[in-house]
Amino acid sequence: MAAERPIAPFGRRLCRVGESHATGGYRIFSLIDEVGPEPAPGQFYMLTAAGDWEGAGGRPFLPRAISVARTSGRKGAVRLDFLIDVVGPGTGRLAGLVHGDGCHLAGPFGQGFSMPKQLNPDAAGAILVGGGIGIAPLAMQRRALTGRGVASRTLLGFRDRAHSGGVEELFGCEETRLAFEDGSSGHTGYVTDLLLRMLDGDDSGRGVVYSCGPPAMLEAVRRICADYSVPVELALESPMACGYGACFGCAVPLVRGGYMRLCVDGPVVRGDEIASAMAGEAGAG
Amino acid sequence: MAAERPIAPFGRRLCRVGESHATGGYRIFSLIDEVGPEPAPGQFYMLTAAGDWEGAGGRPFLPRAISVARTSGRKGAVRLDFLIDVVGPGTGRLAGLVHGDGCHLAGPFGQGFSMPKQLNPDAAGAILVGGGIGIAPLAMQRRALTGRGVASRTLLGFRDRAHSGGVEELFGCEETRLAFEDGSSGHTGYVTDLLLRMLDGDDSGRGVVYSCGPPAMLEAVRRICADYSVPVELALESPMACGYGACFGCAVPLVRGGYMRLCVDGPVVRGDEIASAMAGEAGAG
Amino acid sequence: MNDPGRSGPAIDLSTDLCGIPLAGPVLNGSGTFDALAARKAFGDELLNDFPFAGFVSKTITVEPRAGNPPHRLWETPSGMINSIGLPNPGLSAFCERDLGPLTELGVPLIVSVMADSAPGFAELVEAVGGRDGVSGIELNVSCPNVHSGLIVGEQPDEITALLESLRGLTDLPLIVKLTPNVANPELIAAAAEAAGADAVSLINTIKATAIDPDSNRSWLGAGGGGLSGPAVRPVALAQVRAVSAAVSIPVVGMGGVTDGSSALEFILAGARVVAVGTENFRDPRAGQVVRDGLEEALHRRGFSSLAEAQASTLS
Amino acid sequence: MNDPGRSGPAIDLSTDLCGIPLAGPVLNGSGTFDALAARKAFGDELLNDFPFAGFVSKTITVEPRAGNPPHRLWETPSGMINSIGLPNPGLSAFCERDLGPLTELGVPLIVSVMADSAPGFAELVEAVGGRDGVSGIELNVSCPNVHSGLIVGEQPDEITALLESLRGLTDLPLIVKLTPNVANPELIAAAAEAAGADAVSLINTIKATAIDPDSNRSWLGAGGGGLSGPAVRPVALAQVRAVSAAVSIPVVGMGGVTDGSSALEFILAGARVVAVGTENFRDPRAGQVVRDGLEEALHRRGFSSLAEAQASTLS
Ligand SMILES: Cc1cc2nc3c(=O)[nH]c(=O)nc-3n(C[C@H](O)[C@H](O)[C@H](O)COP(=O)(O)OP(=O)(O)OC[C@H]3O[C@@H](n4cnc5c(N)ncnc54)[C@H](O)[C@@H]3O)c2cc1C
Ligand SMILES: Cc1cc2nc3c(=O)[nH]c(=O)nc-3n(C[C@H](O)[C@H](O)[C@H](O)COP(=O)(O)OP(=O)(O)OC[C@H]3O[C@@H](n4cnc5c(N)ncnc54)[C@H](O)[C@@H]3O)c2cc1C
Ligand SMILES: Cc1cc2nc3c(=O)[nH]c(=O)nc-3n(C[C@H](O)[C@H](O)[C@H](O)COP(=O)(O)O)c2cc1C
Ligand SMILES: Cc1cc2nc3c(=O)[nH]c(=O)nc-3n(C[C@H](O)[C@H](O)[C@H](O)COP(=O)(O)O)c2cc1C
Ligand code: FES
Ligand code: FES
């Protein structure tokens, strides 16, 4: 039973960059969308910088899927904030956008996070478990939960300080517990240590977990939740060409056999739908 | 008997843009070359804007051939000025370069203009006939002639004022006679009218003609000079992939049969070597 | 969808493809636009403004197929490789579940089918041909024949035999989708025409592969895939030109169509209509962009109708 | 030419190609670097710093050829089409005028030859094979056979017959340059190997065409040409992989090699050495850039020598 799904305007639209700045090792920029609806937490957009998208070596060529990290209403428009981790030519271009630049936007696409009661009628609250760039959709979901008066706790893990960009900005003064693999602050180790501790101390049957982050982290979260019989929703990634179900490229293997199109039936999936959160990894399958 | 040919440093080199500005309908920009020799008038370079060369639609992909319009010595470096007419993606990129931008440069390449005595031992002076963007190499040649004390007269033709960029800047206070097809100033009509008038009034056996401009103009100049038995050198264009003899793409048909590689044996050719200055035109041959 | 900035009078873009009337010459390439998924993503706005003058379904097979294991996509210089592997619900689920909604798009429907045997193709053609609302059938012949082991689309004899076995089964136009992975696609096209095909479409994707940048493995789960997008346009134009010169049935031209100019290039190379594939992924409205751009390009080049450009022979 | 910024110890890049010792695995593609013209443009600096570990000449024919009428070039998305038409001075002028200077480049010389008949090839192989300073002969087999009318490189039988007629004429390694315009290049390669070829090289350019944007004509003087550059790399990798799996003679891989990473992709796909073509036009030193980049890429991927990467099989 999934959350209601905002419908995207047909086509792509040219939007202007509101502002952009660095945050930790990442970059945040905002687009002013004068046409589209307010997206649901966990939904994503397909982005293409206008003008100079295709770069040296003929890439980027396809648009890039980016989760929305925060929205704010403006008169007759929605401001969409995106958190970008530069890993290649596409994210490089997006990270280079500055105020006034154009960027094509299609979306919002995909199935976002459910509310806790949809996953577990007895659910009293939620735990958000994120890492790296994966904090973006969780920040949206946390706000949505708070807005509906649902209690939630946030656990975030990072390799080191340099890879924890966006936390303060996106989670603001909301309480978060942080883990750093290099021990630079908070808990030293993995964010899943924090999750285990929380579930051990909890009446876990009354919570649900939302998670987004690197595949290895997601897979650990998926297993832990299965062990503790806690419903979990994971926001996955896979290579996407179109984002709206046209190319069948974003296949993710299902437990029941076959594949889902992650852009249509995800990117948020229930932990028990998939055999592994690492199936989209290089050479997998 | 061709002029001596400066040798290009092997490879391409990254240079910085000194300055750039609009001039008439064109754009002038300069590159600071800390490695190469002073080019000869009529030679050209292969240019590739650094970073963002490949653009929307996967073009430009190859470097673009651009004549040098002016040089000036700087301590341990040569400043090269280029005059750009935006006709497509490559010239568009080059015209967008501003101070401090990087641009790869290979060259100088090709065979430049001869001195009058090399074309005609009796030559007492020269007539330069140019139009449009073709004024760039002629400006170089005019300076070289003046530097060697050879008298020359310059006739330049343009469609209209908007297409006469660079004249004042490149020819400065040197005397030029101008023709405008739209009658906006100078002679109303073609520059070849001026040439005919000059040859009719001249002891044309004692002059040589240098010309660069649109193919139709070059062809008219070639025929007139043949009629008057005046030696003429024409700076031609043809599509070029490499500029240094590697691709055999820049073929120009020769009167004696076969083709020359314009980048090796041109771009300056003698009028009597070619059957037509319009052979490089679309679908020609 | 007339661009208000466009100059000149509207140009007549209506045409037909072997008896299928089309409001314009732009289709989608099979497998590059799922109208039902798009309707889910974009809602009914899609139908009010459907980007193609005719809709070609994703290729269906007799049995359902899950498709290839991931990865299925790789971005290449000005193009992409896909190894999707024809996931589809199979013939009966397609007819029961998808066909109805597809006939409601408001444009002629062409159903793409593939099998690895002549009886398989026959079953598909008979079942699909017997349904209301289907205007044509595209035969995707890139699969190895289970009996001969030969790729049907690579062998003129195989094409002849296949078409002869199917021709009597339906009155609907049969469009043969050619593979580009042959030395002389015009020989295959000529064989298809001689055996009763009503049109040919090309190009399908070009065999390609990608190496994982971080390991000694193939990036694609299936080991290889097919190249599409602007990178292949020059190859597609050459094949469309060679095929158009060899047959008199109409040609559906595709391979890197991204805008009006590239669409016009295909028309001048001999295509009657064009199809848009990969560009749909970059812009869901690409079909309209191409259509409007073509109108503009025809105008710029002095053609007063599409028919005039279709009739102009390339020298 | 070690990049001072490169980290890690130097990696051994030396290798050999069917008995031709090479200081590194980067050659030029035939017809994409004219060492004599380059020497004229760049002077002797070229020789001090020659960008390739072995030099492949432009294809020569028995009689001189002027080449195709203009236009000969068209830029495409991430690539280019050429229709150069093999201009060359012919066998005797090549031997008398060009061969001497080419043997002075300081790297092994491979001479590329083409004919439209077996006797023509025989004349070329005997003449070139009898000259000092030639290390190998590349057979460009993309021309139609004047006797059969078939394109030699598209037919396994034709390749077998050609190789059998040439094999006895020289002890020099014979490298067969395959055409990519076939369904199964591995069948051609296997036929070449069986008939005594010492190596195969691929890909040559893919058949392509371009339409003049301003008129209803072909842009290229010859009507069509061949596509090269990064756009074709995914196709080249697939063919190199298929051919490498089918033969045990070494493979020269090319088609869109632009840097160390793309060179490594070809090596992992099964190529023993790579050749750089179109990228030479963008950067005259491209051969060195690729060589240095390959050293870097091997290091990054944890290979301690080129041989290790050459031996690693792709899964
Ligand atoms: C639903 C969804 C939401 C997302 N949200 C965000 C977000 O909020 N913020 C964010 O920063 N990212 C997000 N991503 C990830 C983002 O889309 C990718 O990082 C991006 O597409 C990478 O593109 P690139 O060009 O920067 O790097 P690429 O070079 O395309 O990709 C990086 C890696 O992908 C592989 N790869 C795939 N194809 C190629 C190729 N052709 N050549 C080389 N390597 C290739 C390689 O392993 C490479 O290391 C999201 C992805 C999805 C699916
Ligand atoms: C020796 C020499 C010196 C030159 N000097 C100068 C100079 O000083 N200043 C200057 O401005 N220019 C100069 N040029 C011309 C300049 O090189 C060309 O205008 C430039 O290469 C055009 O590139 P583009 O990408 O801007 O336009 P393109 O789009 O590449 O070319 C414009 C025209 O070329 C044709 N064309 C060729 N290939 C294609 C293609 N793939 N797609 C579409 N159209 C194509 C079309 O007819 C088009 O209208 C010189 C040329 C040569 C050979
Ligand atoms: C992701 C993807 C899926 C495709 N699926 C099919 C298919 O199911 N059946 C088919 O005949 N062609 C299929 N094709 C080929 C396209 O219809 C088209 O022939 C090809 O992509 C060339 O056009 P383009 O360059 O515009 O994409 C597919 C192409 C892509 C990119
Ligand atoms: C301008 C040009 C000329 C070529 N001439 C020849 C030739 O004479 N003989 C030959 O075997 N291949 C020739 N080729 C093919 C190249 O050697 C090479 O196989 C092909 O271009 C693919 O490599 P690339 O993508 O790196 O260019 C030529 C290619 C180009 C672009
Ligand atoms: S990204 Fe194209 S179907 Fe999902
Ligand atoms: S431009 Fe390449 S040979 Fe002249």
Side-chain angles (χ1 to χ4, degrees):
Chain A
M1 203 169 82
E4 240 172 67
R5 183 177 192 139
I7 295 293
F10 180 42
R12 68 178 194 185
R13 49 203 183 274
L14 185 60
C15 297
R16 291 286 144 205
V17 173
E19 60 102 43
S20 68
H21 61 267
T23 168
Y26 306 134
R27 186 127 191 127
I28 288 189
F29 76 96
S30 64
L31 287 178
I32 311 305
D33 179 10
E34 296 177 352
V35 179
E38 182 98 17
Q43 284 198 304
F44 67 96
Y45 291 82
M46 297 300 284
L47 300 185
T48 313
D52 276 341
W53 184 238
E54 284 157 283
R59 298 181 60 222
F61 166 69
L62 298 164
R64 294 297 191 259
I66 305 292
S67 298
V68 56
R70 182 169 54 185
T71 66
S72 41
R74 296 198 351 167
K75 228 170 103 90
V78 185
R79 169 181 149 154
L80 306 168
D81 287 6
F82 300 100
L83 184 67
I84 302 290
D85 181 18
V86 175
V87 299
T91 46
R93 287 290 162 126
L94 294 174
L97 291 174
V98 297
H99 175 78
D101 283 350
C103 184
H104 297 286
L105 180 85
F109 291 135
Q111 186 58 55
F113 292 107
S114 310
M115 279 292 138
K117 293 261 188 239
Q118 296 174 296
L119 295 171
N120 175 359
D122 299 332
I127 308 173
L128 294 92
V129 186
I133 195 77
I135 66 170
L138 293 180
M140 278 279 285
Q141 177 68 350
R142 167 103 184 214
R143 289 185 165 219
L145 293 171
T146 306
R148 301 233 199 150
V150 180
S152 68
R153 289 165 294 175
T154 307
L155 314 178
L156 304 177
F158 303 97
R159 208 177 319 154
D160 49 37
R161 277 256 155 232
H163 290 82
S164 66
V167 174
E168 275 163 43
E169 194 162 344
L170 293 176
F171 287 89
C173 45
E174 299 187 69
E175 194 202 324
T176 53
R177 273 172 250 183
L178 306 184
F180 285 89
E181 289 174 41
D182 73 346
S184 50
S185 85
H187 169 74
T188 298
Y190 294 114
V191 67
T192 42
D193 305 341
L194 300 179
L195 175 62
L196 275 171
R197 206 180 296 164
M198 196 168 270
L199 291 177
D200 278 332
D202 248 25
D203 178 0
S204 52
R206 302 198 46 233
V208 301
V209 172
Y210 301 105
S211 188
C212 186
M217 191 205 91
L218 285 177
E219 177 56 10
V221 170
R222 193 188 65 78
R223 284 168 188 255
I224 291 169
C225 292
D227 287 349
Y228 283 77
S229 302
V230 181
V232 58
E233 280 190 337
L234 310 166
L236 301 183
E237 287 188 10
S238 85
M240 291 187 176
C242 72
Y244 66 98
C247 73
F248 284 76
C250 56
V252 170
L254 292 170
V255 172
R256 63 164 198 268
Y259 303 95
M260 68 159 72
R261 276 176 290 183
L262 194 70
C263 71
V264 175
D265 300 319
V268 174
V269 306
R270 277 205 331 275
D272 57 7
E273 290 179 276
I274 55 168
S276 162
M278 302 192 6
E281 287 299 272
Chain B
M1 204 172 80
E4 239 172 68
R5 184 179 192 136
I7 295 294
F10 180 42
R12 68 179 193 185
R13 50 203 183 275
L14 185 60
C15 297
R16 290 286 143 203
V17 173
E19 62 103 43
S20 69
H21 61 268
T23 168
Y26 305 134
R27 188 130 189 124
I28 289 190
F29 76 96
S30 63
L31 288 177
I32 311 305
D33 180 9
E34 295 176 352
V35 180
E38 183 97 19
Q43 285 197 303
F44 68 95
Y45 291 83
M46 297 299 284
L47 300 186
T48 313
D52 276 342
W53 184 239
E54 284 157 280
R59 298 180 61 220
F61 166 68
L62 297 164
R64 294 297 190 261
I66 304 291
S67 298
V68 57
R70 181 169 55 186
T71 66
S72 42
R74 295 195 353 163
K75 226 169 103 90
V78 185
R79 169 182 149 153
L80 306 169
D81 286 6
F82 300 100
L83 185 66
I84 302 291
D85 181 19
V86 175
V87 299
T91 47
R93 288 288 162 127
L94 294 174
L97 291 174
V98 296
H99 176 78
D101 282 350
C103 183
H104 297 285
L105 180 85
F109 291 136
Q111 186 58 55
F113 292 107
S114 310
M115 279 292 137
K117 293 261 188 240
Q118 294 174 297
L119 294 170
N120 174 359
D122 299 331
I127 309 173
L128 294 92
V129 186
I133 196 77
I135 66 171
L138 293 180
M140 278 279 284
Q141 176 68 350
R142 167 103 184 215
R143 287 185 168 220
L145 292 171
T146 307
R148 302 232 200 151
V150 179
S152 67
R153 289 165 294 177
T154 307
L155 314 176
L156 304 177
F158 303 96
R159 209 177 320 153
D160 49 37
R161 277 257 157 232
H163 291 82
S164 66
V167 174
E168 275 162 43
E169 193 161 346
L170 293 176
F171 288 90
C173 46
E174 300 186 70
E175 195 202 322
T176 53
R177 272 173 248 183
L178 306 185
F180 285 88
E181 289 173 41
D182 72 346
S184 50
S185 85
H187 169 75
T188 297
Y190 294 113
V191 68
T192 43
D193 305 340
L194 300 179
L195 175 63
L196 275 171
R197 205 180 297 163
M198 196 169 272
L199 290 177
D200 279 333
D202 248 25
D203 178 0
S204 54
R206 304 200 42 235
V208 300
V209 171
Y210 301 104
S211 186
C212 186
M217 190 205 92
L218 285 178
E219 178 57 10
V221 170
R222 194 188 65 78
R223 285 168 187 256
I224 292 169
C225 291
D227 287 349
Y228 285 77
S229 301
V230 181
V232 58
E233 281 190 336
L234 310 165
L236 300 183
E237 287 188 12
S238 85
M240 291 187 174
C242 72
Y244 66 97
C247 74
F248 285 76
C250 56
V252 170
L254 293 170
V255 171
R256 63 163 199 268
Y259 303 95
M260 68 160 73
R261 276 175 291 183
L262 193 71
C263 71
V264 175
D265 300 319
V268 175
V269 305
R270 277 205 329 276
D272 57 7
E273 290 178 276
I274 56 169
S276 163
M278 301 191 10
E281 286 300 270
Chain C
M1 281 317 300
N2 279 344
D3 175 357
R6 200 179 49 75
S7 51
I11 286 186
D12 183 6
L13 290 181
S14 66
T15 188
D16 87 271
L17 177 67
C18 46
I20 308 170
L22 298 171
V26 185
L27 312 177
N28 64 299
S30 171
T32 66
F33 196 87
D34 179 337
L36 304 184
R39 191 161 174 190
K40 193 167 164 190
F42 298 118
D44 286 342
E45 202 191 329
L46 174 75
L47 299 189
N48 304 336
D49 231 6
F50 196 69
F52 308 105
F55 182 72
V56 184
S57 80
K58 184 149 182 65
T59 300
I60 61 162
T61 51
V62 176
E63 299 301 328
R65 288 171 58 100
N68 287 334
H71 298 113
R72 292 179 174 182
L73 298 177
W74 177 257
E75 188 180 75
T76 71
S78 298
M80 63 177 280
I81 309 179
N82 85 79
S83 77
I84 306 298
L86 302 184
N88 78 90
L91 177 60
S92 37
F94 174 80
C95 287
E96 276 146 41
R97 199 190 59 196
D98 297 347
L99 194 52
L102 289 179
T103 61
E104 288 160 22
L105 297 175
V107 299
L109 173 66
I110 295 168
V111 176
S112 168
V113 301
M114 167 184 269
D116 52 14
S117 69
F121 267 111
E123 185 177 348
L124 289 158
V125 167
E126 282 198 299
V128 169
R131 306 287 301 222
D132 283 346
V134 177
S135 299
I137 300 178
E138 185 169 77
L139 307 171
N140 182 345
V141 291
S142 306
C143 201
N145 179 329
V146 283
H147 303 297
S148 70
L150 298 173
I151 310 248
V152 181
E154 291 176 1
Q155 315 286 337
D157 296 355
E158 293 270 333
I159 286 284
T160 305
L162 178 66
L163 263 289
E164 284 173 353
S165 75
L166 300 179
R167 188 59 285 183
L169 303 179
T170 182
D171 292 333
L172 288 182
L174 293 175
I175 304 165
V176 177
K177 176 109 176 231
L178 303 172
T179 167
N181 301 299
V182 293
N184 299 295
E186 61 277 18
L187 301 182
I188 314 289
E193 175 175 40
D198 299 288
V200 291
S201 56
L202 69 159
I203 63 172
N204 212 317
T205 57
I206 304 180
K207 271 190 251 170
T209 203
I211 315 289
D212 189 324
D214 302 316
S215 76
N216 301 355
R217 351 185 22 158
S218 199
W219 172 264
L220 301 163
L227 184 65
S228 65
V232 308
R233 190 191 304 143
V235 178
L237 281 169
Q239 297 203 357
V240 164
R241 198 176 172 200
V243 165
S244 305
V247 300
S248 52
I249 51 177
V251 171
V252 182
M254 73 192 95
V257 173
T258 55
D259 55 13
S261 316
S262 45
L264 181 55
E265 290 172 10
F266 277 86
I267 304 277
L268 292 175
R272 185 158 186 87
V273 303
V274 302
V276 176
T278 302
E279 190 67 9
N280 294 319
F281 308 154
R282 306 212 307 168
D283 181 355
R285 251 185 217 279
Q288 281 166 353
V289 171
V290 170
R291 184 206 165 285
D292 295 344
L294 178 63
E295 200 174 343
E296 177 90 39
L298 287 166
H299 188 259
R300 201 171 52 236
R301 285 286 312 284
F303 291 108
S304 60
S305 69
L306 173 66
E308 202 178 307
Q310 286 167 331
S312 95
T313 38
L314 204 66
S315 63
Chain D
M1 281 314 300
N2 281 344
D3 174 359
R6 201 177 49 74
S7 52
I11 286 187
D12 183 6
L13 290 181
S14 67
T15 187
D16 87 270
L17 177 66
C18 48
I20 308 170
L22 299 170
V26 185
L27 312 177
N28 65 300
S30 172
T32 66
F33 196 89
D34 178 336
L36 304 184
R39 190 163 175 188
K40 194 167 165 190
F42 298 118
D44 287 342
E45 201 190 331
L46 174 74
L47 300 190
N48 304 336
D49 232 5
F50 197 69
F52 307 105
F55 182 73
V56 184
S57 80
K58 185 148 182 64
T59 299
I60 61 162
T61 51
V62 175
E63 299 302 327
R65 287 171 59 99
N68 288 334
H71 298 111
R72 292 179 174 183
L73 298 177
W74 178 257
E75 188 180 75
T76 72
S78 299
M80 62 177 280
I81 308 179
N82 85 79
S83 77
I84 306 297
L86 302 183
N88 78 90
L91 177 61
S92 38
F94 174 79
C95 287
E96 277 146 40
R97 197 190 61 196
D98 297 347
L99 194 52
L102 289 179
T103 61
E104 287 159 22
L105 298 174
V107 299
L109 172 66
I110 296 168
V111 176
S112 168
V113 302
M114 169 185 268
D116 51 14
S117 69
F121 267 112
E123 184 177 347
L124 289 158
V125 166
E126 282 198 298
V128 170
R131 305 286 302 219
D132 283 346
V134 177
S135 298
I137 298 178
E138 185 169 77
L139 307 171
N140 182 346
V141 291
S142 307
C143 200
N145 179 327
V146 284
H147 303 297
S148 70
L150 300 172
I151 310 248
V152 181
E154 291 176 1
Q155 315 286 337
D157 297 355
E158 294 271 334
I159 286 284
T160 306
L162 178 66
L163 262 289
E164 284 172 353
S165 75
L166 301 178
R167 188 58 285 181
L169 303 179
T170 181
D171 291 333
L172 287 182
L174 292 176
I175 304 166
V176 177
K177 175 107 177 232
L178 302 173
T179 167
N181 302 299
V182 293
N184 299 294
E186 60 278 18
L187 301 182
I188 314 291
E193 175 176 39
D198 299 286
V200 290
S201 56
L202 69 159
I203 62 172
N204 212 317
T205 57
I206 303 180
K207 272 190 250 170
T209 202
I211 315 289
D212 190 324
D214 302 316
S215 76
N216 302 355
R217 351 185 20 161
S218 199
W219 173 264
L220 300 164
L227 184 65
S228 64
V232 308
R233 191 192 303 143
V235 178
L237 281 169
Q239 296 204 357
V240 164
R241 200 178 169 198
V243 165
S244 305
V247 300
S248 53
I249 50 177
V251 170
V252 182
M254 72 192 97
V257 173
T258 56
D259 56 12
S261 317
S262 45
L264 181 55
E265 290 172 11
F266 277 86
I267 305 277
L268 292 175
R272 185 158 185 87
V273 304
V274 301
V276 176
T278 302
E279 190 67 9
N280 295 319
F281 308 153
R282 307 212 305 168
D283 180 356
R285 251 186 216 277
Q288 281 167 352
V289 171
V290 170
R291 184 206 164 284
D292 295 344
L294 179 62
E295 200 174 343
E296 178 88 39
L298 288 166
H299 187 258
R300 200 172 52 236
R301 284 287 312 284
F303 290 109
S304 60
S305 69
L306 173 66
E308 201 178 310
Q310 286 167 330
S312 95
T313 38
L314 205 66
S315 62

